[in-house]
Amino acid sequence: MNIAFSGYVGKDIDGFDKTWNRFKENTREAFGQPRKNNIVRLESDFGFKKSELPQLRTNDKPMFVKSLISKYGANVVTEGLKVKASQLKPIQNEINLEQVEVISNVSKGKMNPNKPITISQDGYVIDGHHRWYYAKQNDLKLSVLQINLNAMQVIDEIWQSGLAKKEDISSVRKQNGGKI
């Protein structure tokens, strides 16, 4: 590569290409643009990878809610809320754009009201980051299951419930039974 820095005009600089490419990659990530494999890096107070977080399936949420109510009382859960996605914060630090595309194709500009995301009382998305990301990009409201505990307590309760699944960011769930 020929570059024109004072004293280096027309000369190759060892490592410049590698440094420049790393800078471009970090800049794309910092501004929420895709990096390799369609993964977007998010700014997050917690910075968890998807593989470090519990994934709670929609069919398991009623059982999870029942266990929380028996442990903490009826006020631990607020159901039926709709919240603007822009008011919520992620705890996960990565989004797979391929999963967001599946959501986009299924949603057609509307969020499934029967598939709430799980949030904490302090406004963190615990489970449902890809639906949250799609809704935020499209200025939509989401149905939420709010657990009236702080984010770390909710994560712990989901893991302790025995209902949690683990997924890697590279996994993409396709439409199943009309729900995503």
Side-chain angles (χ1 to χ4, degrees), residues 69-101:
I69 290 172
S70 70
K71 185 173 181 177
Y72 294 100
N75 292 334
V76 74
V77 176
T78 306
E79 296 182 88
L81 292 177
K82 285 210 169 236
V83 177
K84 199 155 180 72
S86 60
Q87 295 176 312
L88 302 172
K89 304 166 280 195
I91 59 169
Q92 184 173 301
N93 69 359
E94 53 194 1
I95 292 291
N96 185 330
L97 293 179
E98 192 176 342
Q99 182 68 63
V100 175
E101 184 178 349

Side-chain angles (χ1 to χ4, degrees), residues 59-179:
N59 294 342
D60 293 330
K61 286 185 182 184
M63 192 180 315
F64 177 64
V65 166
K66 190 175 179 179
S67 71
L68 285 177
I69 290 172
S70 70
K71 185 173 181 177
Y72 294 100
N75 292 334
V76 74
V77 176
T78 306
E79 296 182 88
L81 292 177
K82 285 210 169 236
V83 177
K84 199 155 180 72
S86 60
Q87 295 176 312
L88 302 172
K89 304 166 280 195
I91 59 169
Q92 184 173 301
N93 69 359
E94 53 194 1
I95 292 291
N96 185 330
L97 293 179
E98 192 176 342
Q99 182 68 63
V100 175
E101 184 178 349
V102 170
I103 293 166
S104 174
N105 292 337
V106 171
S107 301
K108 297 180 182 17
K110 296 181 184 177
M111 298 308 294
N112 184 342
N114 300 317
K115 191 159 177 67
I117 67 169
T118 305
I119 68 170
S120 61
Q121 71 180 3
D122 43 357
Y124 285 97
V125 176
I126 305 300
D127 183 44
H129 283 84
H130 289 84
R131 285 176 279 141
W132 164 80
Y133 185 84
Y134 171 79
K136 186 175 180 196
Q137 298 303 310
N138 291 283
D139 197 33
L140 300 173
K141 285 187 173 184
L142 291 156
S143 294
V144 300
L145 169 64
Q146 180 175 306
I147 309 300
N148 298 317
L149 302 170
N150 72 44
M152 292 306 292
Q153 287 175 297
V154 178
I155 292 167
D156 189 49
E157 289 294 341
I158 296 173
W159 283 125
Q160 286 184 33
S161 74
L163 299 169
K165 309 288 187 236
K166 279 189 97 171
E167 285 184 6
D168 187 77
I169 192 63
S170 63
S171 67
V172 175
R173 293 184 24 240
K174 303 296 182 186
Q175 182 179 0
N176 183 9
K179 296 180 181 177

